[in-house]
Amino acid sequence: MKKIKRSHLIIPISIIIHLCIINGTLLLLTPETYLPKNNILYYNFSWLIITYGLKYYSIGRKDSFMTNVNKMFQLYLIYGIAYLALFTITRTTVHSLWHQLMVYLLICSSITWYRIIFFWARRNYRMIGGNSVNVIVLGNDSNLKKIKRIFDDPYLGYRYKGYFDNTVSNSSNYLGNILDSFKYALENDIDEIYCIASNFNAEELKNLVDFADNNLIKFKIILDNKEVFSKAMSIEAYQNVPILNLRKVPLDTEYARIAKRTFDILFSLLVIIGVLSWLTPILYILIKLESKGPLYFKQKRHGFKRRVFWCYKYRSMAVNEDSDSKMATKNDLRVTRVGRFIRKTSIDELPQFINVLKGDMSVVGPRPHMEIHTKDYQSSVNKYLVRHFVKPGITGLAQIKGYRGEIGKKSDILNRTKLDIFYVEKWSLMFDFRIVYSTVANILIGEENAY
């Protein structure tokens, strides 16, 4: 008889604790005289409805604090609007809007701390054997080693017992042939069976699924390894047909696009109004005094989905015929004295905030390349064009990792492309904030490749 696990209680307990935090904060900071019962019901039902709509309480075994952290901020934003809307409409409390805002922020910070403590406690509980699941694998191919590395992570709570395969092996993890797995699963309280699909035909898979269903064991299928998988893949259901999407981009979601665009607009307006408004006239005089030509240098570059746009910079070179085909190199004679300073400090890139405001670029993303370079790299660098699934950026992951400026050898563009693809696949708003912070820090410290 399988033991009853208590994992299903995690979500109800979390809901109760969240509601206790909300009600406790409200009652503690707002006297009951000024907090009608209808208001308390509104705050509670608003929370339940919004979390249900966002599917906030779907906690997976592999989830950590950073998993779906975007959804957490989305929840706080929507709940904050609902929370403050009642105060604005009814004005049923003598407390100021500032007081209500403080109450709301305390609720959010308390719930965030609960989230931190929850994942810390679950992690430590699993380390001593709690909240664990016993798993076995049926079949053997190159995927077995990869998935075993996941099972071996003690923080995830998997207890990997071994694998069954009709090909006898001397491996310490080998438990016997496929038929032996049925008896073993029943006698050892196995919770999940992972099956390597390429090792079985349709009829055999059906029998395995039936066995698992009839014995309350979760059955999971490991897809065939065709060496085409990526870290950004996901399974999508088209009615009853499972489809493997090999290129799921986080920025494909409507919320992500709105969040990133909002950040881009606010940040670019801040720079344009706060910096470019007074810096541009000064640079106009300095650049014009040193060399003939326009204040701005503009160049056609490839952006989102390989669309061409005009990229703006402060002109840092004397006007020359090679500007659209040759990148700046160390001790480049084309660079002026003023240009050398603004390139070293990255001031020459600031007009690209105009590109951001127009929507051609983003604050953070893969750097846009000249048209001639894109045509070269897309044929010589594997998966180069994946970086064009998102808007190009003023700064990016590759830049803060030291891959900026001149591409001196093949490994430079290969490593830059890998980092760009990693950014495309792992984007989050917090990721953007960290890259912006690192960019500013690098500028203040000074960068070797800035010339």
Side-chain angles (χ1 to χ4, degrees):
M1 191 66 150
K2 291 180 69 64
K3 296 177 182 177
I4 298 175
K5 307 267 182 176
R6 301 297 178 187
S7 326
H8 62 283
L9 296 177
I10 290 176
I11 291 178
I13 290 173
S14 293
I15 293 174
I16 292 171
I17 291 176
H18 286 163
L19 292 178
C20 286
I21 290 173
I22 292 171
N23 290 286
T25 306
L26 287 170
L27 293 173
L28 182 65
L29 298 182
T30 308
E32 191 174 354
T33 310
Y34 305 117
L35 189 64
K37 291 181 179 179
N38 289 341
N39 288 23
I40 296 179
L41 290 174
Y42 170 81
Y43 293 136
N44 282 265
F45 279 112
S46 294
W47 178 267
L48 294 174
I49 292 170
I50 294 168
T51 52
Y52 177 79
L54 293 175
K55 297 180 180 178
Y56 180 73
Y57 289 111
S58 54
I59 298 177
R61 175 160 291 275
K62 295 188 291 297
D63 286 357
S64 64
F65 175 81
M66 293 307 297
T67 304
N68 294 326
V69 72
N70 288 339
K71 188 179 288 186
M72 180 182 73
F73 287 116
Q74 188 179 8
L75 167 63
Y76 290 164
L77 175 63
I78 298 174
Y79 185 67
I81 294 171
Y83 179 90
L84 296 175
L86 180 66
F87 169 79
T88 304
I89 294 171
T90 62
R91 296 280 181 175
T92 54
T93 174
V94 297
H95 290 292
S96 65
L97 179 61
W98 177 250
H99 175 84
Q100 294 297 322
L101 184 60
M102 290 299 100
V103 173
Y104 162 71
L105 292 176
L106 182 58
I107 289 173
C108 291
S109 62
S110 299
I111 291 174
T112 301
W113 271 108
Y114 166 72
R115 182 180 172 90
I116 294 171
I117 293 170
F118 167 79
F119 282 109
W120 173 83
R122 190 182 71 169
R123 171 175 172 165
N124 285 277
Y125 183 51
R126 286 175 174 175
M127 287 292 292
I128 60 175
N131 189 231
S132 61
V133 291
N134 297 322
V135 302
I136 58 172
V137 177
L138 306 184
N140 181 17
D141 71 2
S142 57
N143 274 324
L144 180 59
K145 290 182 179 179
K146 296 177 183 178
I147 198 166
K148 185 180 179 298
R149 285 197 291 269
I150 298 174
F151 293 153
D152 288 342
D153 186 343
Y155 301 139
L156 298 180
Y158 290 105
R159 298 294 178 262
Y160 175 62
K161 302 299 183 179
Y163 74 95
F164 293 85
D165 190 61
N166 289 334
T167 302
V168 179
S169 171
N170 293 325
S171 170
S172 59
N173 293 316
Y174 178 72
L175 299 175
N177 60 48
I178 301 300
L179 289 177
D180 295 334
S181 65
F182 297 105
K183 182 179 179 182
Y184 183 92
L186 297 176
E187 292 179 349
N188 292 273
D189 192 25
I190 298 301
D191 300 289
E192 296 180 0
I193 294 176
Y194 289 76
C195 175
I196 296 175
S198 59
N199 288 198
F200 303 91
N201 59 40
E203 184 63 28
E204 289 170 335
L205 282 174
K206 182 180 181 303
N207 291 335
L208 291 171
V209 171
D210 289 343
F211 165 77
D213 287 343
N214 291 327
N215 290 279
L216 290 176
I217 300 174
K218 291 183 179 179
F219 191 82
K220 301 186 179 184
I221 296 177
I222 304 172
L223 298 176
D224 296 1
N225 184 3
K226 301 299 184 186
E227 299 300 331
V228 296
F229 297 164
S230 72
K231 295 178 181 178
M233 65 184 178
S234 64
I235 300 291
E236 299 174 0
Y238 289 60
Q239 292 185 349
N240 293 327
V241 181
I243 304 295
L244 182 64
N245 179 0
L246 293 178
R247 186 59 62 192
K248 183 179 180 181
V249 178
L251 278 167
D252 282 344
T253 65
E254 192 66 26
Y255 163 72
R257 286 197 296 269
I258 292 173
K260 188 169 177 65
R261 184 62 183 145
T262 301
F263 170 69
D264 284 345
I265 291 173
L266 294 176
F267 198 88
S268 59
L269 283 174
L270 180 66
V271 173
I272 290 170
I273 296 172
V275 180
L276 297 190
S277 59
W278 59 266
L279 181 63
T280 299
I282 296 174
L283 286 179
Y284 176 81
I285 296 172
L286 294 175
I287 291 173
K288 282 286 189 179
L289 285 175
E290 186 172 11
S291 64
K292 294 181 179 180
L295 168 65
Y296 294 109
F297 169 73
K298 66 176 186 177
Q299 187 177 69
K300 286 184 177 181
R301 299 196 178 187
H302 283 119
F304 179 64
K305 295 293 181 68
R306 211 170 169 275
R307 295 168 191 158
V308 177
F309 70 98
W310 286 104
C311 181
Y312 301 107
K313 299 177 72 172
Y314 286 125
R315 183 171 61 85
S316 58
M317 294 183 177
V319 177
N320 64 93
E321 297 179 353
D322 298 326
S323 58
D324 290 329
S325 58
K326 184 180 177 182
M327 296 182 70
T329 57
K330 196 168 187 178
N331 301 318
D332 198 315
L333 296 178
R334 296 174 298 169
V335 179
T336 62
R337 284 176 297 174
V338 174
R340 192 169 294 110
F341 171 74
I342 63 175
R343 291 179 73 90
K344 187 69 177 177
T345 55
S346 297
I347 291 175
D348 64 318
E349 309 283 0
L350 291 180
Q352 286 163 34
F353 282 101
I354 299 172
N355 288 118
V356 174
L357 194 61
K358 289 173 61 180
D360 295 326
M361 293 178 64
S362 180
V363 174
V364 181
R367 284 294 296 160
H369 292 156
M370 302 180 199
E371 288 183 291
I372 189 171
H373 290 155
T374 299
K375 292 174 182 176
D376 176 26
Y377 297 144
Q378 72 181 45
S379 59
S380 61
V381 178
N382 187 33
K383 299 186 179 182
Y384 172 80
L385 288 181
V386 170
R387 64 201 302 278
H388 291 275
F389 275 115
V390 299
K391 290 181 183 179
I394 296 177
T395 185
L397 180 62
Q399 282 62 50
I400 66 171
K401 295 296 184 181
Y403 294 99
R404 62 163 290 176
E406 182 183 9
I407 297 174
K409 50 187 183 295
K410 185 66 177 288
S411 61
D412 290 340
I413 186 60
L414 292 177
N415 290 325
R416 184 178 297 188
T417 301
K418 287 179 181 177
L419 290 168
D420 287 340
I421 292 175
F422 182 86
Y423 172 80
V424 170
E425 295 178 344
K426 301 296 182 181
W427 174 87
S428 71
L429 206 54
M430 289 302 297
F431 201 2
D432 276 2
F433 291 154
R434 290 200 297 269
I435 291 174
V436 170
Y437 172 80
S438 297
T439 299
V440 174
N442 287 348
I443 291 172
L444 295 176
I445 295 170
E447 295 182 271
E448 183 182 350
N449 294 331
Y451 48 79

